[in-house]
Structures are given as C-alpha cells and as structure tokens.
Amino acid sequence: MFLSLALILLAGLAAGWLCRKACLPALLGMLFTGVLLGSYVLNLIDSSILDISAEIRKTALIIILMRAGLSLDITDLKKVGRPAVLMCFVPACFEIAGMILIAPKLLGLTLTEAAVTGVVVAAVSPAVIVPKMLGLMEEGYGKKNSIPQLVLAGASVDDVFVIVMFSAFTGLAQNGDISAVSFLKIPVSIVLGILCGGVVGWLLGQYMKKIHVRDTVKMIIFVSMAFLFVTAEDSFGKTVPFSSLIAVMCTGLSYQKVRPESAARISGRFSRVWVLAEIFLFVLVGATVNIQYAVKSGISAIILIFAVLVFRMLGVFCCFICTKLSAKERLFCMISYIPKATVQAAIGGIPLSMGLACGETVLTVAVLSIIITAPLGAFLIERTHRVLLDKG
C-alpha cells in the first residue's frame, strides 16, 4: 500500500507539473497518471486503495466544497438572482434531452436506455469547477456580475439534481415504471441539505464565538461534521432525501456569516490540504478508466459526447436570456459547464452492475466523457477567463 501511495503522490505531482509547463491543466496529468497506474494498464495501485477509492474521492470533494462554502459570498450570488437557480437544472435537462434524441440513432439504444445514459453524463464536475472558480474569485475575475459564484453554486446543485434523476431513470429501465416520488426527492433533498448545513454552521459559529479553538482544530471539526452528513445520507437517504454535499457547502456559508474573519483563515487551511486531496481525487478517477471500453466504443460515442455538450451549452445560454450579462460572460459560463469527472466516475458503472442491457455502453460513454471533457473544460477555463471576464 505504501508503495502505491508514493507512486500516486510522486507521479501525480510530476505529471501535473509537466502539464503546467506545457500550459495544460495539471489535472490532465493526474488523470492520465491514474490511467497508467490503474488496474487496466500497469496495475501498480494496491487493491486495498482501489477498494476505498470512492471514499477517498468523496473526502477530496468534501474538502473543496467546504472551502467553497467558507469562501463564497452569498450577497454576490443574490445579485445574480434567477440565472443562479436556472443553472442548477436547465443545462442538465437540455443535455439529457439531447442524449434521448441522438443516442438511439448513434448507439442503437432505446429511449429509456438513452435517458439513463443522459443522466450519467449530464452532471458537471464540482471537483474541476470549484477550485477553478475559487481561483477566479481570489484573482477578482468576473466580480462585477459574480460570474464565478454563479457557476460554483449552480454546479453544486446540478449534481444533486442529476443523481436523483439517475435513480428515477434506472428504476424505469429496471422495472418499467417510474415513480412521481422520485422527482419529489429533488427539492426535498436540496432544502434539507441547506437547512441542516445552515443550522450546523450557525451553531458552530456561535460556539466558537464563546470558546477559543485553534483554526486547525476548527478544520478538523468541520471535516468531521461533513463525514457525519455523508453517513446520514448513506444511512437514511432512501427514506429521507438529503443532500450531504449541499449540507457541507452550506455549513461553511452559514459559519462565514457568523464569523467571517475566522472563515477566511479556515478556508486558507483547506486550500493547503487541497494540494494533497487534488492529487488523490484525479489520479483515482483516472484509475477507474477502462481503456478497452474507451477504444471499443469507437467514433460514435465521441461524436455523441460532443453533440450533447452543444445541447448543454445551449441550456446555459437559455439561463441568461433577459439578463445584463455580456456576450463574453455568457460564453465563459457555457465553457465552465463543460467538465465532467466525479459523478461519472461514481455512478457510471452502476447500470452495468444492475444488469441493464445498456450497462456497458453507459460505462463507456461515462469514461469517454471524463477523458474528453475534464481536461478540455479545465484547459478552456484557464485559457479564456482573462479574455472573457473583466477583472475587478
């Protein structure tokens, strides 16, 4: 195990450094490090690490979402208004619709199978987007119209919407029917996540006003609360819909309202931890990629991915109709919603494990969407933000 950990860290760091030198996103090098070290190529990652890969990746996601909550200024987000809400579900709906229209012709899927494929691919990647948007917030890009805050908040809720839709459509594919209760879970899980996170963050803020606690200890407390949220979702999520990731982010937001200076210091601590967490996240995402599936799928799946991306970008554009955002800002938001990675790696293999006829196809498209869109989206965000966004 220790050899595998050393290889993940050293090779991930080296590959990320080489990509930065080549003016490419560091995560691209980390992804391909995972592909090479994973069980489908060199098989150098210990099975004990791969067995808990999902938990490690979720921990990394918790760290970046907590940092986002502690850094995000909700007053800026309120200025944006309606588009912030629409970005949570409209682009994903457009992409699912595009998949239902195109996939049956390109891949020979039924409409139900195309819908399952669509909800797997439709989720944007907070693991790619959140650190990018936090960086833009720190540099002051897009400050006038709160563009990074808008994209960051929309991406966080987008995943919840897509995962609930995934449960509904896999139930339809498996049982032949779909329950209206499945769709009611979407607003309930979002509202409960906001309420739980808000209450916990406020209570922590009030407690830490009265009791002096070191910032490092505060960070440990925040991470522990996040783990409790995730455990609650895993244990009771089927009975009581609850989004742990939204709760994590809202804990940071609520605490920031009570103790803004302390929140800024803790956010800095999380930034340092993210350096380590980022390597594990993207290397282990890369390790899930099955090259044989990707090669076997051929050109049709690649065309499909780019085609549904056009639908997604059209959905983003529709969110900004009748708003004051400039054409450049709208284009940047459309680009920012390209990356996919975390959700696809987490749920891409579930239809196959459920025995669905489309399972192998879904996994193939999910894998290719990671390989294509994660580096492409990150690269375009890095290369275009100085041109498309004003600096405050």
Side-chain angles (χ1 to χ4, degrees), residues 99 102-103 106-107 117 121 293-309 360-369 372-373:
M99 187 69 75
I102 300 170
L106 281 178
L107 300 180
T117 309
V121 173
Y293 279 132
V295 172
K296 191 194 301 185
S297 63
I299 196 70
S300 297
I302 296 172
I303 293 171
L304 178 64
I305 289 166
F306 280 106
V308 296
L309 273 181
E360 188 171 322
T361 302
V362 173
L363 180 59
T364 300
V365 176
V367 166
L368 282 172
S369 70
I372 293 169
T373 65

Side-chain angles (χ1 to χ4, degrees), residues 148-163:
Q149 290 89 334
L150 166 64
V151 174
L152 191 156
S156 302
V157 181
D158 171 275
D159 282 1
V160 177
F161 173 76
V162 167
I163 289 170

Side-chain angles (χ1 to χ4, degrees), residues 281-302:
L281 176 61
F282 290 111
V283 171
L284 291 176
V285 166
T288 66
V289 173
N290 188 330
I291 295 297
Q292 290 179 342
Y293 279 132
V295 172
K296 191 194 301 185
S297 63
I299 196 70
S300 297
I302 296 172

